[in-house]
Amino acid sequence: MAGISVAARAYLACAALGAAACTLPALAPGSPRPWGTAALLAGLYAFCTSPAGSRLTAGPARDAPAPGTPGGADGRENDLATARDASAAACGFALLLAAALLLPPSLAALAAVPGALLAPVGPRTPTAPRRVWRAARQALAVWAAARAAALLGGPAAVAPVPDLPYALLPAGGAVLAYCAALTALDGGILAAAARVPPRDAWRGLLGRSLAAHTAHGLVGLAAAVLWRSPYGWPAALLTLLPMYVTGWAFAQHHRERAAHLAAVRALLQAVDLKDAYTRGHSERVGRASVLIGRELGMGEDRLEVLRLAGTLHDVGKIGVPTRVLRKDGPLTPQERRTVELHPEHGHEVVRGIGFLAEARTAILHHHERLDGKGYPYGLRGTEIPEPARVVAVADAFDAMTSTRSYSRARPVPAALEELARCAGTQFDPVMVRALATALGHHGWRTAAASGGPPPPPAPPAQAPAPHAAAAWHAGCPFCPVGPEDGGAEGRTGALGARAAGGTRRPSAPGER
């Protein structure tokens, strides 16, 4: 347990003792217990949380993206693994809720222990304390769920003649008790192990947990009702089949997405090789676009569109001749017309990628101007799609604050002043004001001098997450961030690609 704080050790010991106190009554001699039901539920739960159960849902791990590809082992969560874990955890929770409705509290808690002990805990160390923590955490949460269900008459409500719709009440109470127990335990370990301030440790945990477990609780209720029916446990297991099918489809979606992003990243790296002077430009444009969108109050789905659009906005430069991109002197009219085709090239590159449909409009129109003097189609005002207006401002801002072979970087205030001067003619004033406000709150790390090695990646300059405690999970040696804690948190893994951007000596900010 080296490297674990004294407070975390004490908290872990208390959780383990509490779990032992909850499960030991099941082992007391003399009282009849439905050991067959408990053993079957425990075995099924252990299978669902095992790597074998995950592969049955989403296919073998070797199909996952390779390290270094989007969604792969590049410091971000693997989307395919997340999908696989989410579907397995959903089935596992349905079984645990069925156990809470069918078994006495102590026996239901005991049924959760083998699966929690045997489930993989990831690469973080130490492994043994994490296994003990997860087993204690699940046992305490299931005991709370079974206790709540018993107080509300859950076992009687799912008897051979189920009492519907009353059975929804004990099932809902069990889900709420389970989520409340997870919230209390996770907040405590965040405060003890990750030293999260108490005011932030529990914030938002209950809402995320309820959102993930409520729907799966209905499946658990259906499994419990069928288990007690004349058809028995084989019929109950059929309720899990739709969840596995859904998980399989979800995983296939992520596999396809990862393959598309890997292909797009390869294209961006090719552009980077063609024009290394603007290395890192596209990644920074993606971050600035998210800053603007967040300041405007856009939802996470819209922010993802902006991040992808900003990162991919110059992918069409793969179709621009290298001699033009690397030219140090002024561009001839013919060369400029060649460069101005890059939005259309980019649009064609990503045309067949379905999830980039909205980002594609920003790739095509990010050089349009409000006064109609932009390219490729001379759109005016609100004819320009909103994502394109956001990316145009982010693109111009990063271009002005980056040092290139032909110009020195401007200070951030000077770049913002230039954007304000061009607002209403070239840029959308709303987007310009949003960027200025966001930078006032969060600052900006400008690019290093161009032409050399790429600078170390800067932390994303984005608004704080709505719930600060969520950001601490990754650093906590015990708290897993995953489906069992409220589902995969919607992370899709940034491209992380550095793309080239810019032509030489633009005539106006952002025209590159």
Side-chain angles (χ1 to χ4, degrees):
M1 295 181 61
I4 301 176
S5 67
V6 174
R9 294 182 192 183
Y11 191 89
L12 175 60
C14 290
L17 289 174
C22 291
T23 56
L24 284 178
L27 303 176
S31 57
R33 303 284 181 187
W35 285 106
T37 299
L40 184 54
L41 285 168
L44 290 170
Y45 175 64
F47 176 74
C48 283
T49 57
S50 69
S54 297
R55 286 195 295 269
L56 181 64
T57 301
R62 65 175 178 269
D63 291 339
T69 62
D74 59 353
R76 294 181 180 270
E77 292 183 341
N78 182 295
D79 281 350
L80 180 58
T82 298
R84 197 161 42 231
D85 293 344
S87 57
C91 293
F93 174 68
L95 290 167
L96 292 180
L97 185 64
L101 293 169
L102 295 170
L103 302 173
S106 59
L107 194 54
L110 188 61
V113 172
L117 285 174
L118 297 175
V121 295
R124 286 179 290 179
T125 56
T127 299
R130 277 180 56 78
R131 290 188 185 279
V132 172
W133 161 247
R134 291 180 65 170
R137 174 178 177 269
Q138 285 289 56
L140 288 168
V142 175
W143 182 90
R147 189 68 178 165
L151 291 174
L152 294 171
V158 297
V161 180
D163 186 3
L164 296 174
Y166 177 78
L168 292 171
L169 180 60
V175 171
L176 181 59
Y178 181 89
C179 295
L182 288 187
T183 297
L185 292 166
D186 287 351
I189 201 67
L190 285 171
R195 297 183 176 87
V196 179
R199 66 178 181 276
D200 294 329
W202 286 271
R203 187 181 303 168
L205 294 180
L206 181 59
R208 289 195 297 275
S209 186
L210 279 172
H213 292 110
T214 300
H216 304 149
L218 295 175
V219 179
L221 173 60
V225 169
L226 287 173
W227 199 295
R228 287 285 182 86
S229 74
Y231 303 103
W233 63 266
L237 297 186
L238 290 178
T239 61
L240 303 181
L241 184 60
M243 300 185 72
Y244 266 102
V245 172
T246 302
W248 178 86
F250 186 51
Q252 305 317 305
H253 164 75
H254 278 283
R255 182 179 287 112
E256 181 181 359
R257 177 188 175 92
H260 282 153
L261 288 179
V264 170
R265 184 177 183 182
L267 292 171
L268 290 173
Q269 289 173 332
V271 176
D272 204 22
L273 292 174
K274 294 184 71 170
D275 189 8
Y277 285 116
T278 50
R279 182 171 293 160
H281 168 68
S282 290
E283 186 179 359
R284 293 190 300 272
V285 172
R287 292 206 307 269
S289 298
V290 170
L291 273 178
I292 295 171
R294 202 179 292 278
E295 188 64 32
L296 294 174
M298 295 183 183
E300 290 301 320
D301 289 346
R302 298 285 292 169
L303 294 180
E304 177 68 5
V305 168
L306 292 179
R307 184 185 62 77
L308 288 169
T311 305
L312 299 171
H313 74 287
D314 273 344
V315 68
K317 288 188 176 176
I318 191 71
V320 178
T322 303
R323 61 176 179 80
V324 175
L325 289 176
R326 293 188 177 183
K327 184 176 181 180
D328 290 328
L331 299 179
T332 66
Q334 179 60 40
E335 289 170 338
R336 178 164 292 279
R337 284 193 293 272
T338 300
V339 170
E340 289 177 355
L341 291 174
H342 81 270
E344 295 174 278
H345 292 327
H347 182 267
E348 291 301 317
V349 166
V350 301
R351 177 187 289 275
I353 304 178
F355 70 89
L356 293 177
E358 192 170 2
R360 195 163 63 236
T361 64
I363 294 171
L364 180 62
H365 298 297
H366 70 277
H367 281 300
E368 304 284 3
R369 296 169 49 117
L370 262 65
D371 57 10
K373 297 180 180 178
Y375 62 89
Y377 298 129
L379 301 183
R380 291 176 174 270
T382 56
E383 293 177 349
I384 306 171
E386 184 181 51
R389 285 179 273 146
V390 171
V391 172
V393 172
D395 184 21
F397 172 75
D398 183 71
M400 288 188 286
T401 55
S402 302
T403 296
R404 309 293 171 88
S405 62
Y406 52 88
S407 65
R408 295 186 60 82
R410 302 188 193 187
V412 169
L416 291 176
E417 183 178 346
E418 180 65 14
L419 289 174
R421 185 184 69 81
C422 298
T425 56
Q426 184 174 353
F427 304 115
D428 188 331
V430 175
M431 310 306 175
V432 173
R433 287 193 297 270
L435 178 62
T437 303
L439 293 179
H441 292 157
H442 310 295
W444 182 256
R445 181 175 177 179
T446 56
S450 303
Q462 60 185 28
H467 308 295
W472 290 86
H473 278 279
C476 177
F478 298 114
C479 277
V481 176
E484 64 202 50
D485 298 305
E489 300 207 354
R491 301 190 187 102
T492 52
L495 289 173
R498 300 182 188 94
T503 62
R504 303 298 176 255
R505 307 190 187 281
S507 59
E511 292 201 2
R512 50 191 54 233

